Amino acid sequence: MSTQNDRIALPPVNAQKTNLTCHFCIVGCGYHVYKWPENQEGGRAPHQNALKLDFRKQLPPLQIVMTPGMTNVVTGKDGQRYNIMIVPDKQCVVNQGLSSTRGGRLATYMYTETGVGQNRLKEPRIFTGDQWLDTTWDKALTIYAGVTRRILDKDGPNGLMFNCFDHGGAGGGFENTWGTGKLMFSALQTPMVRIHNRPAYNSECHATRDMGVGELNNAYEDAELADCIMGIGANQYETQTNYFLAHWLPNLQGATVDKKKKWFPGETVAAAKVIFVDPRRTPTIAVAEHAVGRDNVLHLDLQPGTDIALFNGLFTYVVEQGWIDKDFIAQHTAGFDEAVKTNRTSLEECSRITGVSVDKLTQAAEWAYKPKSSGHLKRTMHGYEKGIIWGNDNYLIQSALLDLVLATHNVGRRGTGAVRMGGHQEGYTRPPYPGDHKIYIDQEIIQGRGQMLTSWGCNNFQTTLNAEEYREVIHRRSNIVKEAMAKARGATTEQLIDVIYEATKNGGLYVAVIDLYPVMVMDAAHMALPATHPGEMNLTSMNGERRLRLSERFMDPPGSAKPDCLIAADIANSLKRLYEAEGNSQMAARFAGFDWKTEEDAFNDGFRRAGRPGVPPIDSQGGDTGYLATYALLRQAGTNGVQLPIKEVKNGKLIGTEMLYTDNKFSTLDGKAKFLPAPWPGLPKPVQAQKDKHRFWINNGRVNEVWQTGYHNKYDAFVRDRYPMAIIEMNPDDSASLGIQSGDIVEVYNDYGSTYAMAYLERDIKPNQTFMQFGWYNGIVGDVVTEWTDRNIIPYYKGTWASIRKIGGAKDWQQTVSFKRRRYV
């Protein structure tokens, strides 16, 4: 039965019901999917609908969240049409029935011929002459494998470059990271791989790992148990919405005091205080102040790039006050004295550098670290994200933060943790990286190296640093290949492969895209292969508390689109056949082991074989006990899944690990956590040069309604019309001095490039500071980000200064876009 705008069709009692973890942010909210024939509908009585709810009367508030955006009509390969409803699971401990503005539109983003997903890639495509044409998988794979083999045989694996997702969520999952990783690292053996949001193959948490503290080490429940929560460079309400609403706010409002009394008898307990470390008064801070009162919220609004000095100042102060765990430091850590010496920063010096008053610094130290009246150490959870991950020297910032955390023993105790808030979900299982050092892939391409680039499940044209030069070079090098292909009129496939290869020897770059949509990189591409996302395939991933779930397939993908792991297998098997045909058994053997028929085969080959006797090394977030997880057990575990690492299977149930390091044994060879010296370095020279030359700091990040690069959202009028261009929040006085009003189009420019944005006046933005939407397709902030990276090739996306000028008004947008404040006041 068709759904009208003013009603929602209820699933009948016999509707198919499956589990789905939200595709989007790292929180991984649990959803149930109901699917039933289009011409059927459930009744209002509880025994007449699959939801088992009584719609004959008004339901209690939040009994269920159910909106038109959670419904759709999909068509199977057999031509049959089905209603689908994707609603949050009230029994899921993660979201407890809540849905974000992103997850609440999951059904909307499922493929239909007329909906948002109508723009999906459906068949393999090749660029020929001056246009894109659909082709067969056989033809596309023959070209892809043929070019790959030419380069591999004649020039070696360094000619093969990849921009690829590195873990889970919408872009990966354990099945797909294994498939791509096995292809890139074991079969092709290329080290020329970068990750979706940074220009090398690296971690965003090198320092914490070197210190023995994995970045996802607590449970979401610990936010309910903390005495104090410190949110660092992370806009939690907009980017981890239901983690904040379901686990932070109840504690801040005092709703978990009884739980704390039960868990920690004899300790002083009360509603938690919250400290936000962020130069900007974010929407999260405004929500927190509205919900719990300003007296319970402390905002350390430091100057951009001064986080190291902030943490060093707090570290020095708590050491001087004796608010540290001396026994823990002596027995379970190393390097404390050197860190104290190197990091020494008085509160006065800290205040001078950061711009945060001594009074605020003292208050923060007391809230977070001063022992409780019962004599017990405070339990403070530290949640950090891109503000410091993409900040001024990632390695030193994390070292300084973890020095403070270790000294106060705020890891490995319930109610604590020093954890990434996270971007998207994770799901890393790959062979070891074949390189012996980190390679700045963007610069390799800019300098003319590499012959073939595969952009796999990411869109670096919109997200990389120094993006304007990066795009210009790839377009120029891609055009060399396009021009050669255009001249190869009437060429056979083998001849075309030769033409492409010769063009790459003359400075050209052959570009292939493997993705859901025709993303911006396709402007420079020569081939596109259609992939699938959760719901169209079975996919496992874990959230920010290491909670592993299985999202079950419930519908067919568009056209002949395939899971990424099976695309990787197709590529490997095509290369295997080429080498077998020429009698090269040694090379053919490198491409063996990809005889997967389903995504479950890939899961079993990677995640479940890691650490098993006789199996080559596999780097897996499932560890040595991943073999215990099966699709059958994960289906049974539903939306609550199991927290990794798995301890055992007991009575048919997976038993996991809620918190790491409770035994004070850390992830180092000797089991001791390591303090690392973290001297305050000042700003990097290229960044300081732009700051000296240009007026505005261009802070950047996500906004609530948009997910990542907006690959779905750009086709969704609900979101696209809200943000037709990347917004840039500006201080009203600054705007007035430049003659800028909300809705005006402005140019943002510096020595690295220029981009455009839509002005959005916001009085909470400080003078000479701005906040620009990151990763959007219309207005790319990466165009003005310097090429500077730290020792591990982690970019400083937040370290951007530029000038701003008005281009003109956009009357249509000024009439249709709301410029109401995005903060609760």
Side-chain angles (χ1 to χ4, degrees):
M1 181 173 291
S2 63
T3 302
Q4 306 299 319
N5 292 331
D6 62 347
R7 68 186 301 278
I8 294 173
L10 296 175
V13 291
N14 62 346
Q16 172 188 296
K17 180 182 177 182
T18 52
N19 299 309
L20 183 70
T21 304
C22 180
H23 301 191
F24 305 131
C25 87
I26 194 169
V27 178
C29 295
Y31 286 79
H32 284 146
V33 181
Y34 295 92
K35 178 183 177 183
W36 68 98
E38 185 185 21
N39 61 354
Q40 296 181 18
E41 183 174 4
R44 294 174 183 252
H47 68 279
Q48 295 175 330
N49 66 77
L51 302 173
K52 300 179 181 178
L53 295 174
D54 191 350
F55 290 96
R56 296 170 300 181
K57 58 185 179 181
Q58 181 69 46
L59 294 176
L62 297 181
Q63 176 71 29
I64 187 171
V65 178
M66 192 170 62
T67 71
M70 296 178 179
T71 64
N72 211 334
V73 178
V74 300
T75 305
K77 299 288 189 189
D78 59 2
Q80 297 297 310
R81 290 167 60 83
Y82 299 90
N83 287 311
I84 60 169
M85 174 183 286
I86 304 179
V87 291
D89 178 9
K90 205 170 182 64
Q91 302 308 311
C92 178
V93 297
V94 175
N95 53 311
Q96 301 167 16
L98 297 178
S99 68
S100 70
T101 185
R102 302 170 301 280
R105 295 184 67 75
L106 281 166
T108 300
Y109 297 140
M110 295 300 163
Y111 173 74
T112 65
E113 294 180 351
T114 58
V116 172
Q118 66 181 294
N119 298 285
R120 290 273 301 275
L121 291 171
K122 304 172 186 66
E123 303 294 340
R125 311 192 81 193
I126 56 174
F127 191 86
T128 178
D130 60 355
Q131 62 182 323
W132 284 100
L133 297 176
D134 286 354
T135 189
T136 64
W137 277 98
D138 285 345
K139 176 72 175 289
L141 289 168
T142 298
I143 296 173
Y144 188 99
V147 175
T148 299
R149 183 171 68 99
R150 294 283 200 284
I151 295 170
L152 200 56
D153 290 350
K154 297 186 178 183
D155 306 289
N158 283 23
L160 301 171
M161 292 183 163
F162 287 83
N163 295 342
C164 192
F165 56 85
D166 75 323
H167 35 256
F174 289 104
E175 295 80 0
N176 291 336
T177 55
W178 175 247
T180 54
K182 187 174 182 179
L183 173 67
M184 295 184 299
F185 296 160
S186 294
L188 298 173
Q189 298 181 8
T190 177
M192 307 303 287
V193 181
R194 61 154 285 170
I195 291 169
H196 59 280
N197 64 4
R198 48 199 189 272
Y201 204 83
N202 51 15
S203 165
E204 291 181 320
C205 300
H206 284 284
T208 68
R209 294 181 185 182
D210 288 349
M211 299 169 84
V213 180
E215 60 269 24
L216 301 177
N217 52 68
N218 73 355
Y220 286 169
E221 190 173 27
D222 288 297
E224 303 173 25
L225 302 170
D227 298 305
C228 180
I229 300 175
M230 185 179 289
I232 303 161
N235 181 14
Q236 293 83 3
Y237 172 70
E238 292 203 278
T239 58
Q240 296 93 19
T241 305
N242 291 328
Y243 180 21
F244 179 77
L245 294 177
H247 301 278
W248 286 39
L249 272 186
N251 189 0
L252 301 180
Q253 294 173 326
T256 62
V257 168
D258 287 343
K259 177 184 280 193
K260 293 183 191 182
K261 289 179 180 178
K262 182 178 179 180
W263 280 56
F264 311 127
E267 290 193 25
T268 304
V269 296
K273 301 286 191 180
V274 64
I275 302 168
F276 293 103
V277 179
D278 202 303
R280 176 176 69 121
R281 185 173 183 269
T282 64
T284 303
I285 296 172
V287 169
E289 290 177 348
H290 177 79
V292 302
R294 292 195 173 196
D295 290 345
N296 298 302
V297 180
L298 180 61
H299 180 198
L300 302 183
D301 53 337
L302 73 172
Q303 288 297 307
T306 62
D307 310 77
I308 297 167
L310 177 76
F311 298 135
N312 284 348
L314 293 174
F315 174 63
T316 300
Y317 183 73
V318 299
V319 170
E320 291 173 346
Q321 297 299 311
W323 299 342
I324 59 176
D325 191 335
K326 295 179 181 178
D327 290 340
F328 169 76
I329 292 169
Q331 297 174 31
H332 302 292
T333 73
F336 174 71
D337 291 339
E338 180 61 27
V340 170
K341 178 182 177 181
T342 303
N343 297 7
R344 186 175 301 280
T345 305
S346 68
L347 289 189
E348 290 73 20
E349 179 70 1
C350 178
S351 177
R352 183 188 67 79
I353 295 171
T354 64
V356 179
S357 70
V358 171
D359 287 345
K360 273 191 173 183
L361 294 169
T362 304
Q363 184 178 13
E366 291 178 351
W367 278 15
Y369 310 115
K370 185 177 181 179
K372 299 191 274 190
S373 59
S374 61
H376 296 88
L377 288 172
K378 286 272 178 67
R379 299 176 184 270
T380 295
M381 192 195 93
H382 301 74
Y384 63 90
E385 197 34 51
K386 293 297 190 294
I388 66 170
I389 287 174
W390 288 349
N392 177 17
D393 199 317
N394 167 290
Y395 196 86
L396 288 181
I397 296 177
Q398 292 184 20
S399 299
L401 172 60
L402 264 291
D403 287 342
L404 175 61
V405 167
L406 290 173
T408 55
H409 196 182
N410 275 305
V411 65
R413 295 188 298 134
R414 298 313 304 262
T416 73
V419 293
R420 278 196 59 181
M421 293 300 296
H424 54 78
Q425 286 157 76
E426 308 215 351
Y428 190 93
T429 297
R430 277 180 176 157
Y433 173 70
D436 58 3
H437 66 285
K438 299 174 184 69
I439 303 171
Y440 196 154
I441 300 299
D442 285 18
Q443 288 299 316
E444 293 290 310
I445 290 174
I446 289 171
Q447 293 165 19
R449 290 186 277 275
Q451 295 160 262
M452 181 175 178
L453 172 66
T454 300
S455 179
W456 205 325
C458 56
N459 186 356
N460 301 121
F461 274 18
Q462 289 174 216
T463 59
T464 198
L465 68 168
N466 189 29
E468 186 171 288
E469 182 181 17
Y470 179 78
R471 289 197 307 274
E472 288 174 352
V473 170
I474 289 184
H475 275 296
R476 174 172 51 79
R477 296 186 61 193
S478 165
N479 283 336
I480 294 173
V481 178
K482 286 183 177 180
E483 290 171 5
M485 292 173 67
K487 295 176 182 177
R489 302 177 183 90
T492 65
T493 300
E494 282 299 313
Q495 290 169 336
L496 183 61
I497 291 169
D498 289 334
V499 167
I500 292 169
Y501 174 73
E502 289 303 321
T504 68
K505 294 296 290 181
N506 292 319
L509 185 69
Y510 185 74
V511 180
V513 168
I514 305 174
D515 218 309
L516 299 175
Y517 287 92
V519 295
M520 189 178 290
V521 183
M522 271 188 67
D523 293 346
H526 309 91
M527 175 182 291
L529 302 178
T532 62
H533 63 176
E536 300 167 354
M537 66 173 291
N538 294 300
L539 186 91
T540 55
S541 61
M542 73 176 202
N543 73 350
E545 56 176 350
R546 296 162 285 101
R547 189 176 297 276
L548 173 69
R549 271 85 54 88
L550 171 65
S551 290
E552 298 175 86
R553 175 174 173 163
F554 63 86
M555 63 177 287
D556 292 328
S560 62
K562 299 181 182 184
D564 296 283
C565 56
L566 299 186
I567 295 174
D570 283 346
I571 293 170
N573 289 325
S574 296
L575 283 157
K576 180 185 176 186
R577 286 190 292 270
L578 287 175
Y579 284 115
E580 286 175 338
E582 68 179 29
N584 190 338
S585 58
Q586 183 177 359
M587 285 298 292
R590 279 173 43 178
F591 296 92
F594 288 87
D595 52 344
W596 311 324
K597 303 301 181 186
T598 67
E599 47 270 32
E600 185 175 5
D601 292 338
F603 180 75
N604 291 336
D605 188 56
F607 186 87
R608 298 194 63 234
R609 291 175 67 239
R612 304 306 295 153
V615 174
I618 296 174
D619 297 330
S620 175
Q621 288 174 314
D624 294 345
T625 59
Y627 73 93
L628 294 170
T630 65
Y631 267 30
L633 286 174
L634 288 171
R635 284 193 180 94
Q636 182 178 322
T639 61
N640 286 322
V642 61
Q643 288 178 268
L644 300 174
I646 300 169
K647 294 178 180 178
E648 60 178 331
V649 179
K650 188 174 183 179
N651 298 323
K653 181 180 179 181
L654 294 163
I655 307 298
T657 305
E658 294 180 355
M659 182 180 235
L660 306 183
Y661 311 123
T662 54
D663 57 359
N664 292 326
K665 294 180 181 178
F666 294 90
S667 303
T668 57
L669 292 177
D670 63 4
K672 290 187 174 184
K674 312 296 182 186
F675 286 86
L676 287 178
W680 158 244
L683 292 177
K685 287 183 179 180
V687 174
Q688 185 66 53
Q690 297 306 296
K691 182 180 179 182
D692 293 342
K693 189 173 182 179
H694 299 281
R695 174 180 174 183
F696 292 101
W697 178 46
I698 312 298
N699 190 6
N700 52 86
R702 277 176 47 195
V703 297
N704 194 5
E705 298 89 341
V706 176
W707 173 243
Q708 287 186 333
T709 57
Y711 52 89
H712 289 305
N713 306 131
K714 70 179 292 186
Y715 301 110
D716 181 0
F718 177 79
V719 179
R720 183 188 63 240
D721 293 350
R722 176 74 180 93
Y723 300 109
M725 175 176 273
I727 62 168
I728 185 165
E729 292 184 335
M730 298 183 67
N731 177 278
D733 292 336
D734 288 342
S735 302
S737 71
L738 298 172
I740 295 170
Q741 300 178 1
S742 286
D744 284 343
I745 308 306
V746 300
E747 181 185 15
V748 182
Y749 62 96
N750 62 14
D751 294 351
Y752 289 84
S754 70
T755 188
Y756 299 90
M758 180 173 64
Y760 202 123
L761 274 57
E762 170 51 60
R763 63 176 180 264
D764 279 353
I765 298 294
K766 292 182 179 180
N768 300 322
Q769 296 188 6
T770 68
F771 176 80
M772 185 170 170
Q773 183 179 348
F774 180 87
W776 197 227
Y777 70 97
N778 191 11
I780 299 171
V781 72
D783 290 355
V784 292
V785 176
T786 77
E787 82 278 24
W788 186 86
T789 64
D790 78 349
R791 63 193 57 64
N792 293 304
I793 316 184
I794 300 295
Y796 186 8
Y797 286 109
K798 306 290 185 178
T800 300
W801 273 263
S803 296
I804 296 176
R805 70 184 183 95
K806 178 179 177 179
I807 296 298
K811 292 183 179 180
D812 289 345
W813 292 347
Q814 288 171 335
Q815 293 173 359
T816 59
V817 176
S818 171
F819 293 99
K820 183 178 180 179
R821 295 190 68 199
R822 298 178 60 251
R823 289 155 178 77
Y824 290 91
V825 293

